[in-house]
């Protein structure tokens, strides 16, 4: 925590220096680079990071410009993040400290030195000056549409003479936001489960090449093959040179839950089938299993319900809500109590209808791993709840 406080203090000290001076610089004396940092073990870093480097030939100026600064201490940070109301800000750090931070994680940093004219460098510096002002340095963060990578890209593209030709486009395959995310959390099944659970049907659309650049690695690859076509008709590569900073420390390794989501879901389904067979044979009602499944469905259902009001457009419409919703949780005890008395309750029919609709929805949206198995387990119990017999009370 002391390290991050020091970095933030340094960032705002440099920002204050930028704001105090005129936005002028000799473009012939600086190099501007795109920095792409490899992922490390923290969940928030699974997709890497992008920054910019401003370095003078004299060595007096060497900054890492970072649009990914956020504060966990912000009131209601988690709720604001879920609702898409998180504000990130521009931070400017000494490159040495920025490099040391990622070196401690065991992450490589790729520096792509950009082939820019004197006027383009000065224009980018002037734009940075405007971004660093207190009224401008905060922005409403969106993981897919407006993040540290897209901000760095836009700062460059909006201040060059001409336009970019993305020569890497022909090498790309058709992908969705979900497809791209899966590449980066394939080794972290529970992180993958969580992201798939929160992402709605809007994340399953086919993307344009520019939309794929929300991820640092994609932008780096596109920059590597990109060419700038100027207004005078000349063409030159966007990247002049690439440098790789290899870490001195081994990559961070974290533990993970030994069972994958699909295995846990399969166990729940197997237990449900076994208990249901026991009920049918013994004519007993094992209400504890129903309560467990209702809680299992209802708690994440509360989160998915809140996500309907999020500013993130890719999470608002999520057909998984039909499977995981708060309805069973709210009326669980009432429905179970009535069934124990041999009385019917409308919840069982409503739950069955929602689950059947959710099963149909799985053909239109990619569901989180194992969720269909949880759906089937819940469906078995909801159907059982509809058949009330006084002799099945335990």
């Amino acid at each position: 925590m002391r390290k991050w406080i020091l970095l933030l203090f340094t960032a705002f000290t440099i920002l204050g220096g930028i704001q105090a001076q005129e936005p002028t610089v000799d473009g012939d004396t600086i190099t501007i680079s795109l920095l792409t940092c490899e992922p490390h073990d923290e969940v928030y870093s699974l997709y890497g990071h992008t920054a910019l480097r401003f370095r003078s030939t004299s060595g007096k100026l060497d900054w890492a410009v970072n649009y990914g600064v956020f504060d966990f201490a912000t009131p209601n940070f988690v709720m604001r993040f879920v609702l898409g109301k998180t504000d990130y800000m521009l931070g400017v750090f000494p490159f040495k400290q920025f490099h040391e931070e990622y070196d401690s994680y065991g992450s490589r940093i790729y520096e792509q030195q950009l082939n820019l004219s004197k006027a383009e460098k000065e224009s980018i510096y002037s734009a940075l000056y405007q971004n660093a002002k207190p009224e401008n340095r905060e922005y409403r963060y969106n993981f897919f549409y407006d993040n540290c990578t897209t901000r760095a890209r836009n700062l460059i593209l909006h201040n060059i003479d001409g336009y970019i030709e993305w020569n890497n486009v022909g090498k790309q395959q058709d992908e969705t936001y979900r497809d791209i995310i899966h590449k980066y959390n394939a080794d972290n099944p529970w992180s993958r489960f969580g992201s798939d659970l929160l992402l709605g049907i809007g994340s399953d659309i086919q993307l344009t090449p520019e939309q794929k650049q929300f991820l640092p690695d994609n932008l780096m690859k596109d920059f590597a093959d990109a060419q700038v076509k100027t207004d005078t008709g000349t063409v030159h590569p966007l990247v002049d040179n690439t440098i790789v900073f290899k870490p001195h420390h081994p990559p961070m390794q974290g533990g993970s839950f030994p069972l994958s989501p699909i295995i846990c879901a399969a166990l729940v389904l197997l237990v449900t089938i076994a208990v249901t067979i026991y009920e049918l044979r013994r004519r007993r009602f094992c209400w504890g299993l129903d309560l467990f499944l209702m809680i299992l469905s209802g708690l994440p259902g509360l989160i998915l319900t809140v996500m309907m009001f999020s500013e993130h457009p890719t999470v608002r419409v999520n057909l998984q809500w039909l499977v995981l919703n708060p309805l069973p949780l709210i009326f669980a005890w009432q429905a179970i109590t009535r069934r124990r008395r041999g009385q019917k309750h409308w919840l069982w029919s409503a739950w069955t209808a929602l689950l059947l609709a959710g099963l149909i929805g799985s053909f239109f949206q990619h569901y989180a791993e194992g969720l269909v198995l949880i759906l089937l387990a819940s469906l078995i119990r909801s159907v059982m709840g509809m058949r009330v017999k006084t002799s099945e009370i335990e």
Side-chain angles (χ1 to χ4, degrees), residues 277-295:
I277 292 174
Y278 169 83
E279 280 188 353
L280 293 172
R281 289 182 175 180
R282 298 295 184 93
R283 296 184 179 181
R284 310 294 287 179
F285 173 35
C286 300
W287 60 270
L289 177 61
D290 289 333
L291 181 61
F292 168 76
L293 287 172
M294 288 174 172
I295 294 174

Side-chain angles (χ1 to χ4, degrees), residues 4 36-50 68 70 72 81 88 101-102 105-108 141 143 148 181 184-185 188 191 215-217 251-253:
W4 278 106
T36 304
C37 308
E38 283 185 333
H40 55 84
D41 198 54
E42 298 293 340
V43 173
Y44 65 82
S45 77
L46 286 178
Y47 310 102
H49 184 55
T50 297
F70 60 91
F72 273 124
F81 187 86
Y88 276 39
E101 182 70 20
Y102 278 89
Y105 296 138
S107 300
R108 287 187 179 89
Y141 174 84
F143 180 69
C148 60
I181 292 300
Y184 290 83
N185 55 24
N188 195 325
S191 173
L215 275 182
D217 192 51
M252 294 177 61
Q253 298 292 333

Side-chain angles (χ1 to χ4, degrees), residues 94-105:
F95 176 75
K96 183 175 182 292
Q97 292 184 6
F98 184 86
H99 178 214
E100 289 175 349
E101 182 70 20
Y102 278 89
D103 183 75
S104 68
Y105 296 138

Side-chain angles (χ1 to χ4, degrees), residues 43-83:
V43 173
Y44 65 82
S45 77
L46 286 178
Y47 310 102
H49 184 55
T50 297
L52 295 171
R53 185 182 186 184
F54 286 72
R55 179 166 54 89
S56 65
T57 53
S58 64
K60 293 182 179 180
L61 181 154
D62 196 358
W63 298 337
V65 178
N66 179 8
Y67 283 94
V69 178
F70 60 91
D71 185 6
F72 273 124
T74 302
N76 303 313
F77 178 87
V78 174
M79 181 58 68
R80 290 179 62 84
F81 187 86
V82 169
L83 293 175

